Amino acid sequence: LGKTDCIDLWIKKNKLTPHDEMTLAMVEQYELLARILAAQGNRSEALELVNRLLTIINHDEKRRQKLRLTIYKSLLLIKQERVVDSFLTLEKALTIAEGDRCVRSFLDEGLEMKELLNQYVNSIQNHHYDNLQKENFYDAKRLLEQIISELKLTDIHANEMRHDNLLTKKEITVLTYIQKGLSNKVIAYELGISLSTVKTHINNIYRKLDVHNRLLAVQKAQKLNLL
């Protein structure tokens, strides 16, 4: 299956639409749906879905999820050329992350976040907008330096190793099932292995790809052309 076919299969299998009644337990799945919608060019629909998810999370105070969605909202807004709205949303994300070790949520967005942070920092330096919070400037500048450094390291690692040897055949198979939306229990059944073995494979995938959840594992694997 190609990338588009796998996405269509995942949507059909999970039977998700942007207009569903959503629960807190399903936030991660619907965040993935929002990213799929945006990738397919449906950015307004993706933004509306992210706003709904943020409303659900605001009622429950899930800080990490709230941060991740706020960051992604800022990226959606900049793609719609709503620059000021994007910058103000980015400032909300910087405020949520303040005093906490949440930089990974920014760094995981890669080149798009680098470009947004660069625009934001330059806008403050050149006094383009009066309503921006200058107290976020140094946090944004520090994040920009970190993400530039990480992107350089990623390029170096990409040149130093063959990506097709990064994961074992079994780990790639497990990751393919994850991409299709299968649960750990179903993956264990399909592969004829124990649930604990599936969890071991997934932990190894997370470690090798330097990620911490299923969504990021699939995204990283796609960037490295592993799937």
Side-chain angles (χ1 to χ4, degrees):
L1 289 176
K3 183 177 177 181
T4 302
D5 293 328
C6 285
I7 288 172
D8 291 340
L9 183 62
W10 183 87
I11 292 174
K12 288 177 183 177
K13 182 174 182 61
N14 288 277
K15 299 178 180 178
L16 303 181
T17 76
H19 312 294
D20 296 339
E21 290 293 326
M22 297 180 294
T23 64
L24 192 64
M26 295 288 287
V27 166
E28 188 170 299
Q29 287 91 328
Y30 281 99
E31 180 189 347
L32 178 55
L33 178 61
R35 289 176 181 269
I36 289 171
L37 289 170
Q40 292 174 334
N42 301 318
R43 291 172 184 165
S44 295
E45 207 168 23
L47 181 58
E48 183 180 344
L49 179 55
V50 168
N51 282 330
R52 290 181 61 207
L53 290 170
L54 281 168
T55 300
I56 293 171
I57 291 173
N58 278 334
H59 292 158
D60 201 75
E61 296 300 323
K62 294 284 186 180
R63 187 175 183 186
R64 291 298 177 101
Q65 288 181 324
K66 182 179 180 181
L67 173 62
R68 194 171 65 240
L69 284 165
T70 305
I71 289 169
Y72 188 56
K73 179 179 177 179
S74 70
L75 294 173
L76 285 173
L77 288 166
I78 200 69
K79 287 176 183 176
Q80 294 182 339
E81 299 183 357
R82 295 168 58 181
V83 179
V84 175
D85 287 339
S86 175
F87 286 173
L88 293 175
T89 303
L90 176 62
E91 288 183 339
K92 287 180 183 178
L94 291 167
T95 300
I96 294 169
E98 189 178 10
D100 198 2
R101 295 179 180 179
C102 296
V103 295
R104 187 77 255 160
S105 297
F106 291 91
L107 301 181
D108 284 338
E109 299 295 345
L111 187 59
E112 290 182 356
M113 179 52 63
K114 174 199 165 189
E115 292 172 353
L116 175 57
L117 286 167
N118 192 47
Q119 287 185 55
Y120 177 78
V121 168
N122 286 336
S123 292
I124 290 182
Q125 286 177 327
N126 295 306
H127 309 287
H128 289 163
Y129 304 103
D130 294 331
N131 54 342
L132 297 181
Q133 300 176 27
K134 293 181 175 58
E135 58 264 29
N136 291 124
F137 173 76
Y138 293 105
D139 288 337
K141 193 172 182 181
R142 185 174 64 253
L143 272 172
L144 179 59
E145 291 169 354
Q146 287 180 262
I147 205 165
I148 289 172
S149 176
E150 178 156 301
L151 287 170
K152 285 180 180 178
L153 286 174
T154 300
D155 288 341
I156 291 170
H157 290 159
N159 291 328
E160 287 180 346
M161 67 182 183
R162 288 174 56 82
H163 291 146
D164 54 358
N165 292 328
L166 182 59
L167 301 180
T168 66
K169 290 182 178 180
K170 184 72 74 171
E171 287 165 354
I172 290 174
T173 301
V174 170
L175 193 52
T176 300
Y177 282 134
I178 289 173
Q179 185 185 37
K180 293 177 181 178
L182 273 61
S183 67
N184 290 358
K185 187 178 291 187
V186 175
I187 294 173
Y189 175 80
E190 291 288 336
L191 296 179
I193 57 180
S194 69
L195 187 59
S196 62
T197 301
V198 171
K199 290 178 180 178
T200 298
H201 284 313
I202 292 174
N203 287 333
N204 288 336
I205 290 167
Y206 288 175
R207 176 177 53 80
K208 291 180 179 180
L209 296 181
D210 190 26
V211 297
H212 57 271
N213 64 42
R214 299 162 86 93
L215 173 65
L216 293 174
V218 171
Q219 289 178 335
K220 186 72 170 284
Q222 288 173 338
K223 287 180 183 177
L224 298 178
N225 294 319
L226 295 174
L227 294 174

